[in-house]
Amino acid sequence: MDSSTGSRGPAGFSTQANALLRKNLCFQKRNLKTNVCITLFPILLCVLLVLLQGAIDREIDKPKYRCGCACVDAAADGSCRRTECGVQHSTLDQVASCPIPTPPRWPALVQLPTPEARAISTASQPFDGLPGQTCRDAGSCPAAFLVTGANRSLAESLSGQLFPALSSPLNFTDYLGALSKIVPGSDTTPESRQLLEPAFTPGNTLYIVQPQCRSNLSQTVSVNAGIIPLRLDVDCIQGLTLWRESESIVNDELFRGYRQQRESGREKANEFAAGYNFLNTNKDSLDISIWFNSTYSNNTAFTPIALLRVPRLVNMASNAYIKFLRGSGVEMLLEYVKDMPKVGTKLKFDLSSLLGALFFTWIVELLFPVVLTYLVYEKQQKLKIMMKMHGLKDGPYWMITYTYFFALSAVYMILFIIFGSVIGLRFFTANNYSIQIVFYFIYINLQIALAFFAASFFSSVKIATGLSLKFVMSKVRKEWL
């Protein structure tokens, strides 16, 4: 009986071992297919990006997106002897690619809050000297400027001259000269370039900031900004200066009136136009600090930083101070601001850079489910225990496993970088390769370590595969959004 039992024991063990071996071979085949599919995926994605980039390049290279041209010297037979290209011959879609050797000059403007956001006195923010809700309903609220300083009488005297009053109707024949002697403003969002002032585009209003508004200031005028004909809607807005006892009060009201309101989301913004601290200004020196709303720069790291309308704020204080010293007949004028000359450019759209975060997440993290599934399968089928029974210790096992996955990941990333560079994706060619290699080296090591750690929480291959894929896709969705 003992001998028969002993003979059946090894045979049963051999049968189980063969079954496990067959099952492991099936898993290895499936794993090989998975590795092949994952290896092909980045190649297919790169090819797809190249095809899409080529289609986009062909579309944006069409004449409707290139600088507009027109015949300026036609022969008697109808042929064109000279063609001229430039902004004057371009549509709005074409003008961005045109060379501008002599950029137009624009008046320096003050950044004003929109009518619905101008500072008023409310129950939650009872600021002194401000009008109530009725002016906001009528769209007639003033632009409020806060003023403080060491010498109140001097500060109030200077602030009273921040907005020169018009003594005669505006003459827009020389609109740069006319607007340099007063304070023009706009509630439009500034751009990253000064090639076109948004306040001068159709549908927007150019405001004239005055101590008191006259009804005849509201008008529509036609002007020429160099070769660009413009039609302006001009309106008046009252400039209201309000004294505050200290710098801390000004800071508090500016913060509560704008940022705190925007962040709370409960009420509309209660925005001041700017603030002046005349510090220790006296007859011998102008010592001044200016508050302005820097959020108009749109510094979000995703878009170009916009130019802030600060020069006019500085000029307002300088002009008021020189008048205080020399009399009203002396002025310090800021006639215009302008951009730097611009060469002709070609419209470009780099799809691989736009999809950078999504691109990277999809490609690199697809190795995570492979590593995790492999580890959980060995755990589920107790292959590690069998290897221990054959004398394999933990140290060599983990070292071999780590080396295998590191080699797989390294070959995967090297092929990915080579293939992406060969087909010309700027995602690779525009960045230094040494930096990329260091970054990928660190990342694949962290990814393998994360898979080792996560494997201890799973005992089912199906659950591990499903949750790891969900983890990768959820990160993709987060990066995309």
Side-chain angles (χ1 to χ4, degrees), residues 257-278:
Y258 179 72
R259 186 172 294 280
Q260 186 169 309
Q261 289 289 58
R262 286 287 181 91
E263 290 178 353
S264 66
R266 294 189 299 269
E267 301 179 33
K268 293 181 179 178
N270 214 23
E271 186 180 349
F272 294 89
Y276 286 91
N277 185 355
F278 286 95

Side-chain angles (χ1 to χ4, degrees), residues 336-348:
Y336 63 86
V337 292
K338 61 180 291 187
D339 209 315
M340 297 294 290
K342 173 184 174 295
V343 298
T345 55
K346 183 180 178 181
L347 186 61
K348 294 182 179 179

Side-chain angles (χ1 to χ4, degrees), residues 219-415:
Q219 54 185 305
T220 300
V221 296
S222 297
V223 298
N224 289 319
I227 59 174
I228 306 173
L230 300 172
R231 189 171 178 83
L232 300 179
D233 293 325
V234 182
D235 202 357
C236 180
I237 181 174
Q238 181 188 0
L240 181 64
T241 56
L242 301 172
W243 169 259
R244 295 294 184 259
E245 290 297 332
S246 67
E247 180 179 338
S248 61
I249 295 176
V250 175
N251 278 325
D252 179 63
E253 292 193 11
L254 291 174
F255 181 85
R256 290 169 58 199
Y258 179 72
R259 186 172 294 280
Q260 186 169 309
Q261 289 289 58
R262 286 287 181 91
E263 290 178 353
S264 66
R266 294 189 299 269
E267 301 179 33
K268 293 181 179 178
N270 214 23
E271 186 180 349
F272 294 89
Y276 286 91
N277 185 355
F278 286 95
L279 300 170
N280 296 314
T281 298
N282 53 47
K283 292 184 177 181
D284 297 322
S285 64
L286 174 62
D287 186 11
I288 190 170
S289 176
I290 301 175
W291 288 274
F292 56 89
N293 189 349
S294 63
T295 58
Y296 283 101
S297 66
N298 196 30
N299 187 7
T300 60
F302 298 106
T303 56
I305 299 176
L307 299 172
L308 295 173
R309 295 178 172 127
V310 177
R312 178 60 68 182
L313 293 174
V314 178
N315 176 253
M316 288 163 58
S318 302
N319 196 33
Y321 184 71
I322 200 69
K323 286 183 177 180
F324 168 75
L325 291 180
R326 304 297 183 185
S328 59
V330 180
E331 296 175 308
M332 185 179 293
L333 303 181
L334 175 58
E335 186 175 0
Y336 63 86
V337 292
K338 61 180 291 187
D339 209 315
M340 297 294 290
K342 173 184 174 295
V343 298
T345 55
K346 183 180 178 181
L347 186 61
K348 294 182 179 179
F349 185 84
D350 187 7
L351 188 62
S352 65
S353 297
L354 177 66
L355 301 178
L358 179 67
F359 191 65
F360 172 80
T361 306
W362 265 2
I363 300 300
V364 181
E365 291 194 355
L366 279 175
L367 289 171
F368 177 73
V370 175
V371 179
L372 181 62
T373 302
Y374 192 96
L375 294 171
V376 174
Y377 178 81
E378 288 189 346
K379 180 180 178 182
Q380 178 180 310
Q381 300 299 329
K382 298 181 174 58
L383 298 179
K384 182 181 175 184
I385 295 176
M386 294 181 64
M387 287 185 283
K388 277 189 173 184
M389 293 173 64
H390 286 80
L392 182 65
K393 294 183 179 180
D394 283 339
Y397 167 76
W398 289 116
M399 180 60 67
I400 293 169
T401 305
Y402 165 78
T403 304
Y404 168 73
F405 287 123
F406 178 78
L408 176 67
S409 302
V411 171
Y412 176 84
M413 292 309 305
I414 289 171
L415 293 176

Side-chain angles (χ1 to χ4, degrees), residues 7 10 22 25 39 45 83 109 117-118 121 136 169 173 205 215 227 250 300 316 327 329 371 408:
S7 63
R22 286 194 299 270
L25 287 173
T39 304
L45 185 57
T83 301
L109 307 181
R118 293 172 192 160
S121 181
R136 184 171 285 180
T173 304
T205 302
S215 58
I227 59 174
V250 175
T300 60
M316 288 163 58
V371 179
L408 176 67

Side-chain angles (χ1 to χ4, degrees), residues 164-172 177-179 181-182 208 210 212 214 216-219 234 331:
L166 281 170
S167 56
S168 59
L170 275 174
N171 179 12
F172 279 93
L179 295 177
K181 297 181 180 180
I182 53 177
I208 307 300
Q210 291 285 281
Q212 294 294 330
R214 301 198 308 264
N216 62 349
L217 273 179
S218 299
Q219 54 185 305
V234 182
E331 296 175 308

Side-chain angles (χ1 to χ4, degrees), residues 135-156:
C135 79
R136 184 171 285 180
D137 296 334
S140 60
C141 293
F145 293 76
L146 299 180
V147 178
T148 189
N151 186 333
R152 177 170 181 174
S153 61
L154 178 59
E156 289 185 331

Side-chain angles (χ1 to χ4, degrees), residues 407-429:
L408 176 67
S409 302
V411 171
Y412 176 84
M413 292 309 305
I414 289 171
L415 293 176
F416 182 42
I417 295 172
I418 292 174
F419 186 78
S421 301
V422 168
I423 62 178
L425 290 180
R426 286 181 55 80
F427 187 82
F428 301 102
T429 59

Side-chain angles (χ1 to χ4, degrees), residues 22-40:
R22 286 194 299 270
K23 193 177 290 186
N24 189 39
L25 287 173
C26 291
F27 176 76
Q28 292 291 349
K29 290 179 180 178
R30 290 197 302 270
N31 197 39
L32 179 62
K33 291 179 181 178
T34 303
N35 290 344
V36 171
C37 291
I38 290 178
T39 304
L40 291 176

